[in-house]
Amino acid sequence: MGARVQLDEVVRSISEDDRDAYVRLLALRQGKCWVLHDCWVLVGAEPPGWVETEWMYERYAFVAGRVAAADLALLYSDSACNAMTVGSLSVWSPGAASTVTVERRPGYSRLDRPQLTFPVVEYALSPFDQTDRQLPHMMLVGAGGAPSFPEPDSAWRAFFEGDFSLAGRSSPSSDLAKVRIADRAAWIAGVHITATELTVSVEGDAVQGTDLELYGVEERTVRRLDAAGPITIALANGLPTHAWLWLKRGTDWLDYRSIDPSSVWTNQAGRAGVEIDLPVDPVAAVEALIASGEGPRLEFKQMLPNRDARRTLKTVAAFAIGSGGSIVFGIDRDEVTITGIAEDKPSTQMRDELGNLLRAMVQPTPEFEIKEYRPDGKLILVLDVQPGQSPPYGLVTPGARDKPLEYFVRRGSNTYPAQPYELRSAVLRNGGTTEDFSTRRR
């Protein structure tokens, strides 16, 4: 949770900043005026993929533009009589609440949209009047090159998050604005890990005098930095477990990063600017996967499918319709322990038979990969199913080829028959049409 500060402190800080601010906002028409409803701001650095944009609708305006940071002070005062210009639009402020939540975020924070590579200080401003924050429901037909949407939340996700799917779950928060101030003093720009050394790239305008700390269970190291650039730390005993990096000045952190290789399995390391050139320990990989537990993208099976293939393959179809997922064979689902698969035939033959079964029963066939692991000598097969590009994906009924395909979706850690609206959303999300859906069902 962030701390609470007074609004005038935030306004004073912003008004004294001489850098540019990159603004992305949603305004609603009230009479002849456009009134701010939601706003994201980054001060002091250009966001990745930045493009100045205007989407204009009858009662909605989405605008991305660059202004002087000092001009934001007018917009975020406690008065409802202030306005500013972003792009070609003059936007009025409804007035902000007197207290503001402030929180410091590290680089590559997963909570940031878009994700930023450097630390920020984020101010979350609430509207003075917090009633009636629901967006008026209507179809948004865009003027000129602005895209059209069936309802406003889809337009918000597309403009603010770059998500043009019509089945997304995020929606505008109750905040009036989120203002992020880029902290360019010093940050961890990249990390490269090998079996014998750790190289950390530190960037920033005030790196001199900072400390880089490697924390681990077995070993801890601190290096004083004189300038920006790469710093190499020898790993005589390999990378310590539960490894973290802290970039600090005195008792204040400037940036930090978890560099535990177990995150390689879920690909979190790559998304945090951490490159790991280490052989993957199959035991650690499977244990990390088991520890994450069953959920929307993971299921455990003790045995490979045979006569009861339908129970397994309906989950494959559900993964393909959704966000993809993995099925791990050789795991006791109740005890969540590694039991292994009985090897009554070569493992290559098992993999081929599983792949052929999937191709025969899931139509169209999604992209998939079958990986083999042997922790403690026990055979584990992992079936990775990619999100499908041509949904919906259905299950063929054996011996009844003329029967319509059956469709399934993942809800939590279970698989259920799909509802019609879920299938339509999956098709539209990938640029299809309802005609595509109707044709596939026959």
Side-chain angles (χ1 to χ4, degrees), residues 17-23 41-47 52 65-72 180-182:
D17 199 312
D18 60 359
R19 297 179 295 179
D20 285 342
Y22 295 83
V23 181
V41 178
L42 178 61
V43 176
E46 182 174 310
E52 294 194 1
R66 184 173 63 179
V67 301
D71 292 344
L72 297 174
R180 297 184 177 96
I181 311 297

Side-chain angles (χ1 to χ4, degrees), residues 241-263:
T241 54
H242 297 175
W244 279 66
L245 286 171
W246 295 90
L247 185 61
K248 58 189 182 179
R249 191 187 303 276
T251 59
D252 296 326
W253 67 265
L254 302 175
D255 201 2
Y256 60 81
R257 196 86 77 251
S258 169
I259 56 172
D260 190 335
S262 64
S263 63

Side-chain angles (χ1 to χ4, degrees), residues 267-286:
N267 201 31
Q268 295 301 312
R271 286 198 284 260
V274 179
E275 181 182 355
I276 301 179
D277 289 337
L278 292 174
V280 177
D281 181 351
V283 175
V286 173

Side-chain angles (χ1 to χ4, degrees), residues 24 118 182 251:
R24 190 176 291 274
F118 45 81
T251 59

Side-chain angles (χ1 to χ4, degrees), residues 60-130:
Y60 285 79
F62 294 86
V63 180
R66 184 173 63 179
V67 301
D71 292 344
L72 297 174
L74 292 174
L75 196 60
Y76 304 134
S77 72
D78 57 4
S79 170
C81 299
N82 294 301
M84 63 174 289
T85 299
V86 179
S88 64
L89 197 71
S90 181
V91 184
W92 290 81
S93 169
S98 60
T99 58
V100 177
T101 300
V102 58
E103 182 179 4
R104 183 171 171 77
R105 298 265 187 88
Y108 291 94
S109 171
R110 287 181 294 170
L111 299 177
D112 285 341
R113 297 291 185 274
Q115 191 177 57
L116 304 173
T117 60
F118 45 81
V120 298
V121 176
E122 180 183 272
Y123 297 101
L125 289 80
S126 301
F128 179 79
D129 182 1
Q130 299 190 35

Side-chain angles (χ1 to χ4, degrees), residues 104-401:
R104 183 171 171 77
R105 298 265 187 88
Y108 291 94
S109 171
R110 287 181 294 170
L111 299 177
D112 285 341
R113 297 291 185 274
Q115 191 177 57
L116 304 173
T117 60
F118 45 81
V120 298
V121 176
E122 180 183 272
Y123 297 101
L125 289 80
S126 301
F128 179 79
D129 182 1
Q130 299 190 35
T131 62
D132 195 24
R133 292 286 293 167
Q134 190 73 26
L135 290 176
H137 189 83
M138 62 181 65
M139 297 181 67
L140 274 63
V141 180
S148 300
F149 298 91
E151 40 76 32
D153 280 3
S154 294
W156 182 90
R157 286 191 297 271
F159 188 79
F160 283 90
E161 299 186 341
D163 178 9
F164 282 80
S165 71
L166 300 180
R169 297 180 180 178
S170 58
S171 59
S173 70
S174 59
D175 294 323
L176 174 65
K178 289 188 182 297
V179 182
R180 297 184 177 96
I181 311 297
D183 186 346
R184 311 284 286 185
W187 69 91
I188 298 170
V191 180
H192 184 229
I193 303 170
T194 69
T196 58
E197 63 182 26
L198 166 69
T199 302
V200 183
S201 296
V202 176
E203 297 183 7
D205 302 325
V207 175
Q208 186 176 12
T210 62
D211 292 317
L212 179 67
E213 176 186 356
L214 168 62
Y215 169 88
V217 173
E218 300 86 1
E219 184 178 352
R220 291 157 296 282
T221 303
V222 177
R223 290 283 190 88
R224 174 59 57 90
L225 307 183
D226 295 324
I231 299 90
T232 299
I233 299 174
L235 302 174
N237 301 309
L239 189 71
T241 54
H242 297 175
W244 279 66
L245 286 171
W246 295 90
L247 185 61
K248 58 189 182 179
R249 191 187 303 276
T251 59
D252 296 326
W253 67 265
L254 302 175
D255 201 2
Y256 60 81
R257 196 86 77 251
S258 169
I259 56 172
D260 190 335
S262 64
S263 63
V264 169
W265 185 267
T266 54
N267 201 31
Q268 295 301 312
R271 286 198 284 260
V274 179
E275 181 182 355
I276 301 179
D277 289 337
L278 292 174
V280 177
D281 181 351
V283 175
V286 173
E287 287 180 348
L289 193 61
I290 294 173
S292 64
E294 288 190 310
R297 302 187 67 243
L298 181 62
E299 184 162 292
F300 300 144
K301 296 288 186 183
Q302 191 163 1
M303 298 180 292
L304 290 170
N306 41 44
R307 294 181 180 179
D308 197 18
R310 184 176 181 278
R311 294 185 61 184
T312 297
L313 296 179
K314 69 180 185 181
T315 298
V316 172
F319 283 158
I321 282 180
S323 302
S326 300
I327 301 178
V328 186
F329 299 95
I331 305 295
D332 185 313
R333 186 175 185 181
D334 296 325
E335 299 295 331
V336 195
T337 56
I338 300 174
T339 59
I341 302 170
E343 296 190 63
D344 54 357
K345 62 184 73 173
S347 61
T348 53
Q349 183 179 342
M350 295 184 195
R351 293 166 63 178
D352 290 342
E353 290 176 353
L354 178 59
N356 291 336
L357 193 60
L358 191 156
R359 294 183 187 94
M361 292 188 62
V362 182
Q363 298 297 324
T365 302
E367 292 187 20
F368 67 91
E369 182 179 5
I370 302 172
K371 302 173 184 176
E372 177 179 327
Y373 297 91
R374 292 183 178 275
D376 297 328
K378 299 175 181 177
L379 174 62
I380 299 292
L381 294 183
V382 179
L383 171 61
D384 290 330
V385 182
Q386 298 302 313
Q389 302 301 310
S390 303
Y393 293 81
L395 199 61
V396 173
T397 301
R401 291 285 178 171

